[in-house]
Amino acid sequence: TAAFLGMAPDARLVSIKVADSVGRTDVSQVIAGIDWVVQHKNDNGMNIRVLLLAFGTDSTAPWYHDPLVQAAEVAWKNGIFVVISAGNDGEGAKWTGSLSNPARSPNLMTVGATDTVATSSLGDDTVPNFSSSGNAVRRVDAVAPGAHIVSLKAPGSYAATNFAATGNVGDRFFRGSGTSQAAAVVAGSAALIIQQRPTISPQELK
C-alpha cells in the first residue's frame, strides 16, 4: 500500500484509555477520562484543543440532564473543541437514525458519515444508510468521509480479528466504515484550523 497522510499529520495525539479490548466501558470511566483531559490539557506542553468522542450511549435521559453530555460541555467551555460521532443506527436500525448522547447536545460538534465512492468529486457523494442523521429536534452539524476508509490496523483488536476477510489491506492497514471515522476526519480538520488560528474558540470553530 502506498504511503498516505491523514488529515492532520503533524498533530500530537493523546490517547485516553477508558475501555477494554472489545470496547466495553462504564460511563463513569469515560467521564473520568474527559475530566482528566480538562485538568491536564496544558501539562508538559500538550496543548489539547480537540477531543474526539467516537461513541454514544443508550441513555434515555434528556441531553441537558445527561452526565456524559455535561462532562463534554465542561471541556467545550474550557476551550476544547469536542467532536462527537453521530452513531451507526441509521435506516432500519433500532433507533431509526436518531442520535444518542452525547451527540444530542446542540452545544457540541456532531458528525455523520458520507460515502465518497472513492472519487474526489463531491457530486457523487452520498450519506450511507448506516449513518445516523438525527431528527427534527437535533440534526448532525456536518458530514465527512466515513465509508470504506483505509487506515492503520490495530492487530488483535475486535475489528481486525472479526472482519479481516473484508477489512484487511495488506499487513498494516484496514478498511472500515462508520461515523467514528467521519468524526476523526472532522477532528483533524479542526486541528488544522486551530494551528492556523490559535486563539479561535470552540464556538467560532463550529
Side-chain angles (χ1 to χ4, degrees):
T1 303
F4 62 90
L5 294 177
M7 285 299 296
D10 293 328
R12 180 188 293 112
L13 301 181
V14 180
S15 179
I16 312 299
K17 183 172 174 59
V18 296
D20 65 14
S21 61
V22 294
R24 290 176 301 211
T25 189
D26 182 86
V27 171
S28 63
Q29 292 294 105
V30 179
I31 291 172
I34 296 171
D35 289 346
W36 187 93
V37 169
V38 173
Q39 292 169 24
H40 299 280
K41 65 188 181 79
N42 296 319
D43 287 5
N44 303 316
M46 283 193 293
N47 189 31
I48 299 174
R49 297 289 305 278
V50 180
L51 176 61
L52 172 61
L53 300 176
F55 55 82
T57 72
D58 56 4
S59 168
T60 58
W63 66 267
Y64 44 84
H65 288 318
D66 188 85
L68 181 57
V69 170
Q70 291 174 0
E73 291 189 351
V74 167
W76 185 276
K77 291 171 184 174
N78 278 271
I80 300 171
F81 188 67
V82 183
V83 183
I84 314 290
S85 58
N88 303 322
D89 294 327
E91 288 183 17
K94 174 180 171 184
W95 296 104
T96 61
S98 63
L99 304 175
S100 57
N101 285 327
R104 289 187 196 127
S105 169
N107 305 316
L108 306 171
M109 184 71 176
T110 297
V111 181
T114 59
D115 185 350
T116 66
V117 294
T119 71
S120 57
S121 169
L122 297 178
D124 56 3
D125 291 6
T126 60
V127 174
N129 287 344
F130 68 77
S131 180
S132 297
S133 57
N135 53 35
V137 176
R138 171 71 165 120
R139 299 275 184 200
V140 297
D141 297 301
V143 291
H148 316 295
I149 303 295
V150 176
S151 189
L152 286 173
K153 179 167 59 176
S157 67
Y158 180 86
T161 302
N162 290 275
F163 299 99
T166 55
N168 278 348
V169 179
D171 294 330
R172 296 185 59 217
F173 301 100
F174 192 85
R175 180 183 291 107
S177 299
T179 58
S180 295
Q181 175 61 53
V185 170
V186 170
S189 302
L192 293 175
I193 295 171
I194 291 169
Q195 182 181 33
Q196 184 184 56
R197 304 180 186 183
T199 61
I200 195 168
S201 72
Q203 191 58 40
E204 290 169 331
L205 180 50
K206 182 178 178 179

